[in-house]
C-alpha cells in the first residue's frame, strides 16, 4: 500500500491501511446510490487527480463562481471540493448523509471499472477517466509514498516498489488492467466514459477542457468563450497557481494528507531522471503485452 498515514494523520501499519481502504470500498460499493446526473472522476493514483478535480469543479460550478478572484479553489484544496468515495466519504460512516451535495454531484474514485457497483454502471451517471504514462505515474507514486510515509519507517527503495508496481501490487490493482478496463468501456460507451491522458491534457488543454465541458453537459456558450472563460479556468487550475496558494502550501485536506504532497513537478517525462534502461524496457514490455489487442499506447 502507498498509504502509511490514515485519514486522521495517525501512523498506521500497512495492514491497517489496507483495511481502511477496503472498508471504504465495500461501503461505497454497497450503499452508494448513483443519480443519473452524477459525474465521477476516476483516476489511477498519481495521474493528475488533483488537477482534474480542480478543473471539473471549476467547469461544473462556473455559473455559480464566475469570479476567479473569489473562487472556492483559492481557499480549498481540490480534494476537499471533490471528495473521494472510498478514501473520504464512506470511511467514517457506512451510509453517509449525502443530502448536502448539490446536483449534479461530483465525486472521485480510484476503483477499477470491474469493481464498480451496478448503481453506477446501470445508471446514466457519467465517468471522466484520467490516466498517465506508467513511467511518470510510477515515479510520482514513489515520491508521494515517501512523502507521506512516517520517517521512522525509512524511505521506500525504488527497486522494491518498482517490482511491486510491475506485478500489479498497488492500491487499485494493476495499472495496466485499470487503464484497459476504462479504455474498453470508453470505446463501447462514448456517452458514459470520457477517456483522457494527462499528457493529452498538458499538450492541448483548451481542446480537452472544452470537450470535458461538453461531455459533462455544461458546454461553454459563445459569449463565455469570448470572455475567455476557458483560459481563466486553465489559469485558475494550473500547477503554478494552485501550488502557490496558501491552502495548498500549508493546509491539510480531509484525506489526512498534507496538501503540498499533491504538488511536485508536474512534468511529462520526469521518469528519465530516475528509471534505468532495464526498468523502462520492463514497463514497455508489460504495456505491449497488456495492450496488444487494444492498440492503446502512451
Ligand atoms: P508529479 O509527481 O509528476 O509532479 P494526483 O493528483 O493524481 O495525486 O497526481 C499528482 C501528480 O499531478 C503530481 O505529478 C503533481 O505534481 C501533478 N499535479 C498536481 N496538480 C497539478 C496541476 N494543477 N496541473 C498539472 N499537474 C498537477
Amino acid at each position: 500500500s502507498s498509504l502509511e498515514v490514515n485519514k486522521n494523520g495517525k501512523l498506521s501499519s500497512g495492514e491497517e491501511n489496507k483495511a481502511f481502504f477496503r472498508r471504504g470500498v465495500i461501503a461505497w460499493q454497497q450503499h452508494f446510490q448513483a443519480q443519473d446526473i452524477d459525474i465521477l472522476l476516476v483516476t489511477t493514483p498519481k495521474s493528475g487527480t488533483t488537477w482534474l478535480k480542480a478543473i471539473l469543479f471549476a467547469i461544473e460550478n462556473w455559473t455559480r463562481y464566475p469570479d476567479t478572484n473569489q473562487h472556492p479553489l483559492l481557499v480549498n484544496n481540490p480534494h476537499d471540493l471533490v471528495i473521494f468515495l472510498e478514501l473520504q466519504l464512506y470511511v467514517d460512516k457506512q451510509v453517509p448523509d449525502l443530502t448536502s451535495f448539490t446536483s449534479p454531484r461530483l465525486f472521485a474514485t480510484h476503483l477499477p471499472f470491474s469493481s464498480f457497483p451496478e448503481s453506477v454502471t446501470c445508471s446514466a451517471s457519467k465517468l471522466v477517466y484520467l490516466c498517465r504514462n506508467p513511467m511518470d505515474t510510477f515515479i510520482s507514486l514513489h515520491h508521494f509514498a515517501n512523502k507521506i510515509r512516517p520517517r521512522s519507517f525509512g524511505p521506500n527503495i525504488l527497486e522494491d516498489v518498482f517490482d511491486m508496481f510491475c506485478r500489479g501490487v498497488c492500491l487499485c490493482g494493476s495499472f495496466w488492467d485499470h487503464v484497459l478496463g476504462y479504455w474498453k468501456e470508453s470505446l463501447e460507451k462514448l456517452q458514459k466514459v470520457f477517456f483522457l491522458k494527462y499528457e493529452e491534457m498538458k499538450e492541448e488543454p483548451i481542446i480537452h477542457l472544452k470537450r470535458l465541458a461538453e461531455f459533462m453537459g455544461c458546454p461553454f456558450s459563445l459569449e463565455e468563450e469570448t470572455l475567455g472563460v476557458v483560459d481563466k479556468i486553465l489559469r485558475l487550475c494550473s500547477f503554478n497557481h494552485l501550488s502557490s496558494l496558501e491552502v495548498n502550501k500549508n493546509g491539510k485536506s480531509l484525506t489526512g494528507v498534507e496538501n503540498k504532497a499533491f504538488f511536485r513537478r508536474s512534468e511529462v517525462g520526469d521518469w528519465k531522471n530516475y528509471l534505468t534502461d532495464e526498468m523502462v524496457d520492463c514497463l514497455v514490455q508489460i504495456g505491449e503485452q497488456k495492450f496488444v489487442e487494444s492498440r492503446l499506447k502512451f
Side-chain angles (χ1 to χ4, degrees):
S1 163
S2 64
L3 292 176
E4 295 286 2
V5 179
N6 72 15
K7 71 182 181 61
N8 298 316
K10 291 184 188 144
L11 306 189
S12 51
S13 71
E15 283 312 309
E16 277 170 349
N17 281 323
K18 278 184 222 153
F20 162 76
F21 183 66
R22 205 176 297 130
R23 201 169 57 238
V25 169
I26 292 170
W28 100 249
Q29 283 173 326
Q30 287 182 342
H31 302 295
F32 179 68
Q33 289 303 317
Q35 296 176 357
D36 285 342
I37 51 170
D38 283 346
I39 292 168
L40 270 67
L41 169 66
V42 192
T43 63
T44 43
K46 312 322 291 174
S47 60
T49 319
T50 316
W51 188 20
L52 254 281
K53 279 188 176 187
I55 283 181
L56 299 194
F57 181 87
I59 293 175
E60 193 175 274
N61 293 286
W62 186 252
T63 45
R64 279 173 78 195
Y65 308 114
D67 183 354
T68 47
N69 294 316
Q70 304 270 326
H71 202 278
L73 276 164
L74 300 180
V75 287
N76 294 280
N77 177 265
H79 292 286
D80 289 342
L81 295 173
V82 182
I83 309 278
F84 274 119
L85 291 166
E86 66 277 7
L87 292 169
Q88 291 165 266
L89 204 52
Y90 281 84
V91 169
D92 287 335
K93 291 187 181 151
Q94 292 275 296
V95 190
D97 179 10
L98 304 187
T99 48
S100 63
F101 287 84
T102 48
S103 288
R105 304 179 307 178
L106 199 48
F107 299 110
T109 177
H110 285 319
L111 274 208
F113 190 79
S114 54
S115 302
F116 261 44
E118 279 188 6
S119 153
V120 177
T121 53
C122 295
S123 73
S125 58
K126 295 183 175 185
L127 310 180
V128 172
Y129 183 70
L130 177 74
C131 57
R132 185 181 191 184
N133 79 70
M135 283 87 148
D136 283 332
T137 300
F138 168 69
I139 290 302
S140 185
L141 185 62
H142 176 58
H143 281 99
F144 181 74
N146 273 342
K147 256 186 228 167
I148 66 169
R149 198 173 155 82
R151 284 219 183 122
S152 57
F153 285 33
N156 278 317
I157 309 298
L158 186 83
E159 287 71 17
D160 296 346
V161 280
F162 180 79
D163 180 57
M164 287 167 72
F165 186 79
C166 290
R167 286 187 289 119
V169 185
C170 296
L171 199 61
C172 307
S174 151
F175 167 87
W176 294 271
D177 292 343
H178 202 285
V179 176
L180 202 53
Y182 287 96
W183 174 249
K184 284 183 183 162
E185 284 304 311
S186 74
L187 295 180
E188 283 168 23
K189 296 180 191 144
L190 282 177
Q191 306 299 322
K192 177 82 179 173
V193 184
F194 185 103
F195 187 96
L196 182 64
K197 295 176 189 156
Y198 181 83
E199 296 78 15
E200 296 171 333
M201 191 66 196
K202 276 265 186 188
E203 204 168 315
E204 296 185 304
I206 298 175
I207 292 177
H208 295 299
L209 190 92
K210 286 194 210 167
R211 288 181 60 225
L212 278 168
E214 277 164 28
F215 176 80
M216 292 165 76
C218 40
F220 300 113
S221 63
L222 258 182
E223 192 193 347
E224 283 172 330
E225 287 206 23
T226 316
L227 289 171
V229 171
V230 173
D231 222 42
K232 281 185 192 170
I233 292 181
L234 286 174
R235 260 186 280 133
L236 173 72
C237 302
S238 71
F239 177 84
N240 285 345
H241 181 243
L242 289 185
S243 60
S244 71
L245 296 171
E246 187 56 31
V247 63
N248 293 325
K249 284 200 286 194
N250 294 314
K252 201 178 221 186
S253 78
L254 295 172
T255 58
V257 173
E258 289 191 357
N259 292 338
K260 62 180 177 211
F262 294 104
F263 303 91
R264 195 180 63 92
R265 299 191 66 175
S266 113
E267 278 173 17
V268 174
D270 187 39
W271 57 267
K272 289 177 190 146
N273 298 315
Y274 299 93
L275 298 181
T276 62
D277 290 349
E278 289 74 28
M279 285 170 157
V280 175
D281 283 349
C282 182
L283 292 176
V284 169
Q285 270 183 32
I286 298 174
E288 281 174 0
Q289 280 167 13
K290 290 276 188 181
F291 295 159
V292 64
E293 279 170 31
S294 69
R295 299 205 201 136
L296 184 57
K297 281 208 169 97
F298 279 98

